[in-house]
Amino acid sequence: MFLTISTTGTPERPATDLGFLLHKHPDKAQAFSTSYGKAHVVYPEASVERCTAALLLEVDAVALVRRGKGKGRGGAPDAALAQYVNDRPYAASSLLAVALSSVFSSAMKGTCQAKPELPARPLPLRVEVPALPARGGADLVRALFEPLGWTVSAEPVALDTEFPEWGDSRYVSLVLEGEQRLADALRHLYVLLPVLDDAKHYWVSSDEVDKLLRAGEGWLPEHPEQKLITSRYLSRRWSLTRQAMERLELVRLAETDDSAVEEIDNAVDEQTDTEEKPVPLAVQRRDAIVGALKGTDAVRVLDLGCGQGQLVQELLKDTRFTEIVGVDVSMRALTIASRRLKLDRMGERQSERVKLVQGSLAYTDKRLKGYDAAVLSEVIEHLDLPRLPALEYAVFGSARPRTVIVTTPNVEYNVRWETLPAGHVRHGDHRFEWTREEFRGWAGTVAERHGYDVEFVAVGPDDPEVGPPTQMAVFTMTTRNTKEEKAA
């Protein structure tokens, strides 16, 4: 990866002041170790009239794979060669942006002890990046850099000059020219190089929001492409993007009002504010299920269709449940559940209480017999209707726990979801969603057929017109059947 920064000067203001700003002496070739290779800083030219600093990053492909565990961009666990053979060693990306911030950290902060007046002085700068991935093409490059005062030349790089009919690649040869403070120029590059590549070589966590706001100070709040920049920089993580956009809006309002951000963001007194945050429906559902189980004498519980193990995790908190078995057809879901529960680090006494097994609820399974209670939380709607009788028999006819709890969406409530288009189900894998009448009809038939009583519980806000978002049925084996089965 290669980038050059050039400037021109006069005897009064020599171009070699660039060396003071970058904290790198023009007469030396310097090398710096990074996590992914070695960064070199050299000066191809250094005179009073013109000075150029070049940053060359040698990417260690092996180190990149090892630190990324083989799952970085362009690589996959089952594509060993792709982990090592890709564009990373040759094209600018987030690797180069991180090297910029590391090698030129003082320059990016705008500090210069030798000549304190230099950082505030705009310089005639020319930045060249020979190979820059630009997902969006030259037009996007101009849309990102021109509002910042740069004159932009972004020439598409042909896939192969010998075969022009193949067209252009997704790379451009970038040249930026303009009067800029060096610290501003470096911050522009630090943010916009990975934005144009639309990828990062590391996991984006919440601290990336702070990095973005620091590097974007003074230019990002008013940038016309602020939303795109924020979304791509944060790897399209919606929650982080929303957080960053809210903070950027506060900065913009503060600048407009000539006030400090703290003065604008003072509407809520955290010491006195007592407004409760809404409890997510998934949490309300788990609480309702646990509450129903506590209302029985169940100690051995099946979580049928346990998914990623959230309910199993909740049940483990209550010592009255001595055995909890999570069942799911998906091994991937069970693997995630195992990680969530930290089964490999769980104490012996705790680990004896929980077990995860793979199984299909469309078939009878003798491993599921003899339990006090079974839970089918948001499961039945994922089955095709013709397969529902098989699940019904496997649970109520074969396994026959004394208590069965079933939750499912109430389709009537969907009109209350502002973001849910009319006629759409809540999840792409839902094969159906029932009205309250349809659910009660199915549950009543199941209860009568297999010797259970059934009660219905509303989960979530019970709307007077459309009912609750989740409907729950609690099946309890009738006393007569319980006695007969104990006798058998």
Side-chain angles (χ1 to χ4, degrees):
M1 299 181 183
F2 188 67
L3 174 148
T4 62
I5 303 174
S6 304
T7 189
T8 56
T10 65
E12 294 76 24
R13 293 184 175 182
T16 48
D17 280 348
L18 183 64
F20 287 101
L21 284 169
L22 293 174
H23 295 256
K24 304 293 181 288
H25 199 289
D27 292 339
K28 297 180 181 178
Q30 296 177 264
F32 305 86
S33 295
T34 72
S35 301
Y36 301 97
K38 185 166 290 188
H40 303 268
V41 178
V42 297
Y43 287 78
E45 54 183 341
S47 66
V48 171
E49 293 79 19
R50 183 175 176 84
C51 184
T52 298
L55 175 64
L56 172 66
L57 178 61
E58 288 185 295
V59 177
D60 184 342
V62 175
L64 186 62
V65 171
R66 286 175 178 170
R67 287 181 63 87
K69 297 181 181 179
K71 298 180 182 179
R73 193 199 70 177
D78 59 343
L81 189 60
Q83 299 176 33
Y84 299 92
V85 183
N86 54 57
D87 62 356
R88 280 301 169 92
Y90 314 105
S93 70
S94 63
L95 287 167
L96 185 58
V98 171
L100 275 172
S101 67
S102 175
V103 175
F104 299 138
S105 59
S106 297
M108 191 175 290
K109 293 173 185 174
T111 60
C112 180
Q113 294 182 354
K115 295 189 176 184
E117 74 283 359
L118 284 182
R121 183 187 302 167
L123 301 175
L125 294 177
R126 178 184 173 92
V127 178
E128 297 183 56
V129 185
L132 172 65
R135 297 178 186 271
D139 290 341
L140 180 59
V141 178
R142 286 188 283 269
L144 295 183
F145 282 103
E146 284 181 349
L148 302 175
W150 292 102
T151 299
V152 180
S153 171
E155 295 296 327
V157 176
L159 280 171
D160 193 319
T161 55
E162 296 295 323
F163 301 94
E165 65 274 14
W166 289 1
D168 296 326
S169 68
R170 64 184 182 89
Y171 304 94
V172 298
S173 177
L174 176 66
V175 178
L176 303 174
E177 293 183 294
E179 290 270 340
Q180 299 274 357
R181 295 189 310 159
L182 181 64
D184 292 338
L186 291 173
R187 288 200 290 263
H188 297 165
L189 294 167
Y190 174 75
V191 172
L192 297 181
L193 290 183
V195 166
L196 284 165
D197 191 18
D198 199 12
K200 285 199 168 184
H201 65 280
Y202 57 90
W203 170 250
V204 173
S205 56
S206 57
D207 63 343
E208 290 294 299
V209 175
D210 294 325
K211 292 180 185 178
L212 174 63
L213 296 182
R214 283 197 300 269
E217 183 179 357
W219 62 271
L220 184 55
E222 299 294 338
H223 198 291
E225 298 293 338
Q226 177 200 103
K227 187 173 182 179
L228 180 143
I229 293 169
T230 304
S231 176
R232 284 194 176 193
Y233 184 86
L234 297 171
S235 296
R236 304 179 189 274
R237 293 192 61 191
W238 180 81
S239 60
L240 297 183
T241 301
R242 183 181 64 177
Q243 178 185 341
M245 294 293 290
E246 289 173 351
R247 290 173 61 180
L248 285 167
E249 179 62 14
L250 277 176
V251 172
R252 189 190 67 78
L253 291 172
E255 290 177 349
T256 302
D257 198 41
D258 196 22
S259 305
V261 172
E262 293 76 12
E263 295 176 12
I264 297 292
D265 191 24
N266 64 354
V268 176
D269 183 350
E270 294 183 358
Q271 300 300 320
T272 60
D273 181 46
T274 58
E275 182 180 353
E276 295 184 1
K277 295 181 179 179
V279 179
L281 180 59
V283 175
Q284 296 182 59
R285 189 162 47 237
R286 285 196 294 273
D287 289 346
I289 292 169
V290 174
L293 288 172
K294 289 179 179 179
T296 71
D297 58 354
V299 296
R300 302 175 67 238
V301 180
L302 296 167
D303 183 6
L304 303 176
C306 66
Q308 298 178 15
Q310 292 94 328
L311 178 59
V312 174
Q313 186 176 44
E314 192 66 27
L315 293 173
L316 277 171
K317 297 176 183 178
D318 195 323
T319 55
R320 81 180 68 199
F321 302 116
T322 59
E323 184 178 354
I324 305 154
V325 178
V327 183
D328 205 284
V329 71
S330 168
M331 275 305 301
R332 182 172 181 272
L334 293 173
T335 299
I336 295 173
S338 177
R339 292 173 185 162
R340 175 188 293 277
L341 300 171
K342 299 181 175 62
L343 290 183
D344 57 335
R345 287 179 280 172
M346 191 176 285
E348 183 177 352
R349 180 175 297 180
Q350 188 79 329
S351 65
E352 289 176 350
R353 297 175 57 210
V354 62
K355 181 167 58 175
L356 300 177
V357 299
Q358 185 183 25
S360 171
L361 302 181
Y363 303 96
T364 58
D365 189 336
K366 62 182 180 181
R367 296 176 298 175
L368 307 184
K369 292 185 177 183
Y371 285 85
D372 302 322
V375 178
L376 290 157
S377 178
E378 308 299 287
V379 171
I380 60 173
E381 63 274 9
H382 291 271
L383 272 69
D384 293 316
L385 281 170
R387 303 192 71 185
L388 203 53
L391 176 142
E392 173 194 331
Y393 179 75
V395 176
F396 294 91
S398 176
R400 295 192 63 74
R402 294 200 304 274
T403 300
V404 181
I405 298 174
V406 180
T407 72
T408 192
N410 168 23
V411 72
E412 296 168 84
Y413 193 88
N414 287 359
V415 296
R416 297 293 187 256
W417 301 115
E418 294 181 0
T419 57
L420 185 64
H424 284 237
V425 293
R426 298 184 198 176
H427 189 282
D429 190 51
H430 285 186
R431 310 306 168 88
F432 63 88
E433 287 178 357
W434 275 334
T435 65
R436 288 168 290 172
E437 183 179 355
E438 289 170 327
F439 180 58
R440 286 171 179 264
W442 173 82
T445 301
V446 170
E448 184 178 357
R449 182 181 294 136
H450 297 285
Y452 286 81
D453 294 325
V454 61
E455 295 181 357
F456 299 94
V457 180
V459 179
D462 198 352
D463 189 288
E465 295 181 2
V466 297
T470 295
Q471 43 193 341
M472 183 168 82
V474 180
F475 297 83
T476 305
M477 188 178 291
T478 60
T479 305
R480 180 175 59 82
N481 277 277
T482 303
K483 290 179 178 178
E484 289 177 357
E485 298 205 3
K486 285 184 176 179

